[in-house]
Protein backbone atom coordinates (compact mmCIF):
# COMPACT_ATOMS: atom_id res chain seq x y z
CA UNK A 1 0.00 0.00 0.00
CA UNK A 2 1.36 3.37 -1.00
CA UNK A 3 0.77 6.20 1.47
CA UNK A 4 1.52 9.61 -0.02
CA UNK A 5 4.13 11.76 1.67
CA UNK A 6 2.46 15.07 0.87
CA UNK A 7 -1.28 14.46 1.06
CA UNK A 8 -3.73 13.56 3.80
CA UNK A 9 -6.72 11.36 3.00
CA UNK A 10 -9.15 14.24 3.62
CA UNK A 11 -7.54 16.12 0.72
CA UNK A 12 -8.46 13.39 -1.75
CA UNK A 13 -12.01 12.30 -0.85
CA UNK A 14 -15.31 14.03 0.01
CA UNK A 15 -16.24 14.68 3.66
CA UNK A 16 -18.71 11.79 4.01
CA UNK A 17 -16.18 9.26 2.75
CA UNK A 18 -13.49 10.56 5.09
CA UNK A 19 -15.91 10.57 8.03
CA UNK A 20 -16.66 6.89 7.60
CA UNK A 21 -13.26 5.59 6.46
CA UNK A 22 -10.57 7.98 7.76
CA UNK A 23 -7.17 6.79 6.48
CA UNK A 24 -8.76 3.77 4.85
CA UNK A 25 -9.93 6.34 2.28
CA UNK A 26 -6.55 5.84 0.64
CA UNK A 27 -7.69 2.35 -0.34
CA UNK A 28 -10.12 4.01 -2.74
CA UNK A 29 -7.46 5.93 -4.66
CA UNK A 30 -5.37 4.26 -7.34
CA UNK A 31 -1.77 3.83 -6.21
CA UNK A 32 -0.54 5.34 -9.50
CA UNK A 33 -2.47 8.51 -8.69
CA UNK A 34 -0.95 8.72 -5.20
CA UNK A 35 2.58 8.27 -6.52
CA UNK A 36 1.96 10.86 -9.24
CA UNK A 37 0.59 13.37 -6.71
CA UNK A 38 3.78 13.11 -4.64
CA UNK A 39 5.94 13.58 -7.74
CA UNK A 40 3.88 16.59 -8.81
CA UNK A 41 4.18 18.11 -5.34
CA UNK A 42 7.95 17.44 -5.23
CA UNK A 43 8.38 18.99 -8.67
CA UNK A 44 5.99 21.94 -8.71
CA UNK A 45 5.38 22.82 -5.07
CA UNK A 46 2.16 23.32 -3.10
CA UNK A 47 -0.92 21.79 -4.66
CA UNK A 48 -4.54 21.70 -3.55
CA UNK A 49 -6.97 18.95 -4.49
CA UNK A 50 -9.81 19.26 -1.92
CA UNK A 51 -9.78 22.00 0.70
CA UNK A 52 -13.07 21.30 2.53
CA UNK A 53 -11.03 20.34 5.61
CA UNK A 54 -10.03 24.04 5.86
CA UNK A 55 -13.56 25.26 5.04
CA UNK A 56 -12.78 25.65 1.36
CA UNK A 57 -15.20 24.87 -1.44
CA UNK A 58 -13.49 21.90 -3.09
CA UNK A 59 -14.95 18.54 -2.00
CA UNK A 60 -15.09 16.50 -5.17
CA UNK A 61 -11.77 17.25 -6.90
CA UNK A 62 -10.39 13.79 -6.13
CA UNK A 63 -12.58 10.75 -5.58
CA UNK A 64 -16.07 11.79 -6.72
CA UNK A 65 -19.29 10.42 -5.28
CA UNK A 66 -22.84 10.20 -6.61
CA UNK A 67 -23.99 13.28 -4.69
CA UNK A 68 -21.61 15.54 -6.67
CA UNK A 69 -23.32 17.82 -9.23
CA UNK A 70 -20.70 16.81 -11.79
CA UNK A 71 -20.94 13.09 -11.01
CA UNK A 72 -20.65 10.78 -13.98
CA UNK A 73 -20.66 6.99 -13.69
CA UNK A 74 -17.84 6.77 -16.25
CA UNK A 75 -15.62 9.59 -14.93
CA UNK A 76 -12.16 8.54 -13.86
CA UNK A 77 -12.86 10.52 -10.66
CA UNK A 78 -15.53 7.95 -9.81
CA UNK A 79 -12.88 5.22 -9.65
CA UNK A 80 -10.19 7.12 -7.78
CA UNK A 81 -8.09 7.37 -10.91
CA UNK A 82 -8.27 11.16 -11.45
CA UNK A 83 -7.38 14.33 -9.58
CA UNK A 84 -8.01 18.02 -10.24
CA UNK A 85 -4.97 19.86 -8.88
CA UNK A 86 -4.64 23.58 -8.24
CA UNK A 87 -1.01 24.64 -7.90
CA UNK A 88 0.00 27.71 -5.95
CA UNK A 89 3.04 28.60 -8.01
CA UNK A 90 2.14 27.56 -11.56
CA UNK A 91 -0.85 27.92 -13.86
CA UNK A 92 -2.35 24.62 -15.00
CA UNK A 93 -1.24 25.19 -18.60
CA UNK A 94 2.39 25.36 -17.44
CA UNK A 95 2.00 22.10 -15.51
CA UNK A 96 0.58 20.39 -18.62
CA UNK A 97 3.50 21.63 -20.73
CA UNK A 98 6.02 20.49 -18.14
CA UNK A 99 4.43 17.03 -17.85
CA UNK A 100 4.55 16.62 -21.63
CA UNK A 101 8.20 17.69 -21.73
CA UNK A 102 9.16 15.53 -18.72
CA UNK A 103 6.93 12.53 -19.28
CA UNK A 104 9.49 10.08 -17.89
CA UNK A 105 8.93 11.68 -14.49
CA UNK A 106 5.21 10.93 -14.76
CA UNK A 107 4.98 7.42 -16.17
CA UNK A 108 1.41 6.80 -15.02
CA UNK A 109 -0.35 9.84 -16.48
CA UNK A 110 -2.32 8.77 -19.54
CA UNK A 111 -4.82 11.62 -19.81
CA UNK A 112 -5.00 15.35 -19.09
CA UNK A 113 -7.67 17.99 -19.68
CA UNK A 114 -6.72 21.03 -21.73
CA UNK A 115 -8.11 24.61 -21.71
CA UNK A 116 -9.11 24.55 -18.03
CA UNK A 117 -7.51 26.39 -15.12
CA UNK A 118 -7.08 23.28 -12.99
CA UNK A 119 -4.75 20.39 -13.72
CA UNK A 120 -6.83 17.28 -14.34
CA UNK A 121 -4.80 14.14 -14.78
CA UNK A 122 -5.82 10.53 -14.72
CA UNK A 123 -4.34 7.08 -15.11
CA UNK A 124 -6.98 5.41 -17.27
CA UNK A 125 -6.13 2.37 -19.36
CA UNK A 126 -5.03 3.95 -22.63
CA UNK A 127 -2.28 5.44 -24.70
CA UNK A 128 0.02 8.09 -23.34
CA UNK A 129 -0.65 11.00 -23.20
CA UNK A 130 -4.11 11.97 -24.38
CA UNK A 131 -4.91 15.67 -24.07
CA UNK A 132 -8.64 16.40 -24.24
CA UNK A 133 -10.31 19.79 -24.15
CA UNK A 134 -13.70 20.03 -22.43
CA UNK A 135 -14.04 23.40 -24.20
CA UNK A 136 -13.45 22.37 -27.82
CA UNK A 137 -14.04 18.61 -27.31
CA UNK A 138 -10.87 18.03 -29.29
CA UNK A 139 -8.58 15.11 -28.46
CA UNK A 140 -4.90 14.97 -29.28
CA UNK A 141 -2.09 12.60 -28.51
CA UNK A 142 0.89 14.52 -27.11
ZN1 LIG B 1 -11.07 16.18 -13.31
Amino acid sequence: MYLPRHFQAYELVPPAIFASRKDKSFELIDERVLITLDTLRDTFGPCTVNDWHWDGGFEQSGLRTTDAPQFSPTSQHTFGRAMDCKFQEYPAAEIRDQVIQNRLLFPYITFMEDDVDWFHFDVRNGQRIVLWSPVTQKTQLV
Side-chain angles (χ1 to χ4, degrees):
M1 181 180 193
Y2 185 85
L3 292 173
R5 288 174 285 113
H6 294 295
F7 294 86
Q8 300 296 321
Y10 51 74
E11 296 179 79
L12 307 182
V13 300
I17 297 288
F18 184 73
S20 64
R21 298 182 68 91
K22 303 299 182 197
D23 279 351
K24 281 183 179 281
S25 301
F26 283 128
E27 296 174 350
L28 306 175
I29 309 294
D30 193 295
E31 182 177 63
R32 296 166 296 175
V33 164
L34 298 175
I35 294 167
T36 300
L37 279 173
D38 272 347
T39 307
L40 287 165
R41 175 65 177 75
D42 284 337
T43 308
F44 303 113
C47 165
T48 300
V49 179
N50 290 329
D51 58 3
W52 61 264
H53 186 76
W54 302 281
D55 298 323
F58 293 111
E59 297 186 354
Q60 299 275 351
S61 288
L63 181 75
R64 193 166 288 160
T65 45
T66 52
D67 52 318
Q70 67 275 55
F71 175 78
S72 154
T74 57
S75 168
Q76 293 295 310
H77 286 280
T78 302
F79 306 103
R81 293 194 294 256
M83 294 282 147
D84 293 339
C85 304
K86 286 70 73 176
F87 289 86
Q88 261 176 41
E89 297 169 7
Y90 296 93
E94 175 70 16
I95 302 291
R96 287 188 282 271
D97 286 347
Q98 289 293 322
V99 167
I100 291 166
Q101 288 169 38
N102 301 284
R103 62 185 64 218
L104 293 180
L105 254 185
F106 304 99
Y108 304 119
I109 295 179
T110 53
F111 192 100
M112 302 187 293
E113 285 179 4
D114 203 6
D115 300 324
V116 290
D117 60 6
W118 59 91
F119 177 67
H120 167 109
F121 76 90
D122 65 60
V123 299
R124 71 186 62 191
N125 184 19
Q127 288 179 284
R128 301 192 65 209
I129 297 172
V130 174
L131 188 61
W132 173 74
S133 170
V135 178
T136 65
Q137 301 290 314
K138 282 190 179 145
T139 300
Q140 52 180 315
L141 210 52
V142 294

mmCIF file of all heavy atoms in Angstrom, residues 64 77 82-84 113 118 120, ligand 1:
data_model
loop_
_atom_site.group_PDB
_atom_site.id
_atom_site.type_symbol
_atom_site.label_atom_id
_atom_site.label_comp_id
_atom_site.label_asym_id
_atom_site.label_seq_id
_atom_site.Cartn_x
_atom_site.Cartn_y
_atom_site.Cartn_z
ATOM 1 N N ARG A 64 -14.777 11.087 -6.573
ATOM 2 C CA ARG A 64 -16.069 11.790 -6.725
ATOM 3 C C ARG A 64 -17.201 10.811 -6.449
ATOM 4 O O ARG A 64 -17.191 9.675 -6.926
ATOM 5 C CB ARG A 64 -16.168 12.340 -8.157
ATOM 6 C CG ARG A 64 -17.287 13.339 -8.355
ATOM 7 C CD ARG A 64 -17.101 14.079 -9.668
ATOM 8 N NE ARG A 64 -15.985 15.021 -9.627
ATOM 9 C CZ ARG A 64 -15.369 15.496 -10.712
ATOM 10 N NH1 ARG A 64 -15.767 15.125 -11.915
ATOM 11 N NH2 ARG A 64 -14.369 16.348 -10.584
ATOM 12 N N HIS A 77 -12.737 10.094 -12.062
ATOM 13 C CA HIS A 77 -12.856 10.520 -10.657
ATOM 14 C C HIS A 77 -13.674 9.513 -9.841
ATOM 15 O O HIS A 77 -13.437 9.329 -8.646
ATOM 16 C CB HIS A 77 -13.532 11.890 -10.560
ATOM 17 C CG HIS A 77 -12.666 13.033 -10.967
ATOM 18 N ND1 HIS A 77 -11.722 13.592 -10.144
ATOM 19 C CD2 HIS A 77 -12.595 13.741 -12.124
ATOM 20 C CE1 HIS A 77 -11.112 14.596 -10.761
ATOM 21 N NE2 HIS A 77 -11.620 14.705 -11.978
ATOM 22 N N ALA A 82 -8.455 9.795 -10.937
ATOM 23 C CA ALA A 82 -8.272 11.156 -11.450
ATOM 24 C C ALA A 82 -8.213 12.160 -10.311
ATOM 25 O O ALA A 82 -8.844 11.971 -9.269
ATOM 26 C CB ALA A 82 -9.422 11.531 -12.389
ATOM 27 N N MET A 83 -7.458 13.232 -10.532
ATOM 28 C CA MET A 83 -7.377 14.332 -9.576
ATOM 29 C C MET A 83 -7.416 15.645 -10.340
ATOM 30 O O MET A 83 -6.868 15.755 -11.445
ATOM 31 C CB MET A 83 -6.055 14.279 -8.792
ATOM 32 C CG MET A 83 -5.912 13.084 -7.885
ATOM 33 S SD MET A 83 -6.861 13.260 -6.348
ATOM 34 C CE MET A 83 -7.314 11.546 -6.048
ATOM 35 N N ASP A 84 -8.057 16.652 -9.719
ATOM 36 C CA ASP A 84 -8.013 18.022 -10.237
ATOM 37 C C ASP A 84 -7.146 18.835 -9.279
ATOM 38 O O ASP A 84 -7.568 19.141 -8.162
ATOM 39 C CB ASP A 84 -9.417 18.630 -10.301
ATOM 40 C CG ASP A 84 -10.296 17.952 -11.335
ATOM 41 O OD1 ASP A 84 -9.760 17.311 -12.260
ATOM 42 O OD2 ASP A 84 -11.530 18.071 -11.212
ATOM 43 N N GLU A 113 -6.717 17.054 -19.068
ATOM 44 C CA GLU A 113 -7.670 17.987 -19.676
ATOM 45 C C GLU A 113 -6.934 19.261 -20.066
ATOM 46 O O GLU A 113 -6.082 19.746 -19.329
ATOM 47 C CB GLU A 113 -8.809 18.319 -18.703
ATOM 48 C CG GLU A 113 -9.797 17.187 -18.559
ATOM 49 C CD GLU A 113 -10.923 17.495 -17.581
ATOM 50 O OE1 GLU A 113 -10.986 18.629 -17.050
ATOM 51 O OE2 GLU A 113 -11.725 16.596 -17.341
ATOM 52 N N TRP A 118 -7.563 24.251 -13.963
ATOM 53 C CA TRP A 118 -7.084 23.276 -12.987
ATOM 54 C C TRP A 118 -6.330 22.212 -13.775
ATOM 55 O O TRP A 118 -6.487 22.097 -14.989
ATOM 56 C CB TRP A 118 -8.246 22.662 -12.203
ATOM 57 C CG TRP A 118 -9.250 21.961 -13.061
ATOM 58 C CD1 TRP A 118 -9.251 20.638 -13.418
ATOM 59 C CD2 TRP A 118 -10.406 22.549 -13.682
ATOM 60 N NE1 TRP A 118 -10.330 20.361 -14.221
ATOM 61 C CE2 TRP A 118 -11.053 21.518 -14.412
ATOM 62 C CE3 TRP A 118 -10.955 23.840 -13.694
ATOM 63 C CZ2 TRP A 118 -12.222 21.747 -15.141
ATOM 64 C CZ3 TRP A 118 -12.108 24.055 -14.427
ATOM 65 C CH2 TRP A 118 -12.733 23.013 -15.139
ATOM 66 N N HIS A 120 -6.227 18.605 -14.433
ATOM 67 C CA HIS A 120 -6.833 17.280 -14.345
ATOM 68 C C HIS A 120 -5.892 16.279 -14.980
ATOM 69 O O HIS A 120 -5.559 16.395 -16.148
ATOM 70 C CB HIS A 120 -8.185 17.227 -15.058
ATOM 71 C CG HIS A 120 -8.703 15.812 -15.256
ATOM 72 N ND1 HIS A 120 -9.771 15.304 -14.565
ATOM 73 C CD2 HIS A 120 -8.256 14.801 -16.051
ATOM 74 C CE1 HIS A 120 -9.965 14.038 -14.931
ATOM 75 N NE2 HIS A 120 -9.060 13.701 -15.838
HETATM 76 ZN ZN1 LIG B 1 -11.067 16.180 -13.313
#
